[in-house]
């Protein structure tokens, strides 16, 4: 299903699909480490027309090759579904999403406790920033 309303992000300077894929991690980094895309946009970005099982498998592989994670864990084949892409290598929201994804999809292991600790530390930092922003708003700053 092709929709004329779906925006496919363009990678400046990319002259083909391979170059566009190579620029995607920097694109995500420039906008905070994550973005929401429709499956149809991902399919078009890859140069395909329809979101079949093989196409989505190839897209999943390309995302992994470029250090990009995605939620949900299994990309849907419905072009109208939205997915969250995130840069797995950045020490920002992408890292937080990677930790959440790993904890949600992997079995308990020796790495689980440290990952939970890292996640809590990141969430504590977020909470502190949020609380400081709320205090400033109350003070009229």
């Amino acid at each position: 299903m092709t929709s004329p309303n779906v925006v496919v992000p363009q990678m400046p300077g990319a002259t083909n699909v391979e170059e566009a894929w190579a620029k995607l991690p920097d694109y995500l980094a420039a906008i905070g480490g994550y973005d929401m895309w429709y499956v149809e946009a991902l399919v078009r970005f890859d140069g395909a027309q329809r979101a079949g099982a093989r196409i989505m498998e190839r897209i999943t592989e390309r995302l992994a090759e470029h250090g990009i994670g995605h939620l949900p864990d299994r990309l849907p084949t419905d072009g109208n579904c939205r997915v969250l892409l995130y840069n797995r290598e950045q020490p920002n929201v992408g890292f937080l999403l990677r930790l959440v994804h790993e904890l949600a999809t992997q079995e308990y292991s020796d790495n689980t406790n440290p990952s939970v600790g890292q996640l809590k530390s990141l969430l504590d930092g977020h909470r502190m920033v949020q609380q400081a922003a709320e205090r400033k708003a109350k003070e009229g700053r």
Side-chain angles (χ1 to χ4, degrees):
M1 177 185 308
T2 303
S3 169
N5 299 328
V6 172
V7 176
V8 180
Q10 302 297 311
M11 300 298 121
T15 58
N16 59 47
V17 171
E18 295 305 320
E19 289 178 8
W21 276 109
K23 291 180 177 284
L24 185 56
D26 290 336
Y27 167 81
L28 291 173
I31 61 170
Y34 65 97
D35 199 12
M36 183 189 70
W37 286 31
Y38 281 93
V39 167
E40 184 175 337
L42 261 177
V43 169
R44 288 186 188 176
F45 184 81
D46 191 50
Q49 297 299 313
R50 297 187 54 115
R54 287 189 189 128
I55 298 296
M56 298 316 294
E57 194 173 306
R58 181 177 72 216
I59 289 172
T60 298
E61 290 170 4
R62 286 192 174 188
L63 289 168
E65 288 168 10
H66 291 91
I68 299 168
H70 53 86
L71 295 170
D73 186 47
R74 184 178 172 127
L75 293 174
T77 56
D78 180 343
N80 294 313
C81 290
R82 293 180 285 188
V83 296
L84 190 68
L85 304 180
Y86 59 94
N87 188 323
R88 295 176 53 91
E89 307 306 319
Q90 278 197 293
N92 59 13
V93 174
F95 180 74
L96 176 68
L97 291 169
R98 184 180 93 190
L99 277 175
V100 170
H101 179 259
E102 288 173 358
L103 288 168
T105 59
Q106 295 178 359
E107 294 293 320
Y108 189 90
S109 71
D110 291 342
N111 295 328
T112 302
N113 282 342
S115 293
V116 170
Q118 283 181 312
L119 181 57
K120 183 186 182 306
S121 293
L122 289 167
L123 292 173
D124 287 348
H126 175 72
R127 179 176 43 212
M128 289 171 46
V129 168
Q130 219 174 7
Q131 289 170 341
E134 289 170 3
R135 279 192 305 274
K136 284 184 180 182
K138 286 179 184 176
E139 294 170 2
R141 290 185 192 175

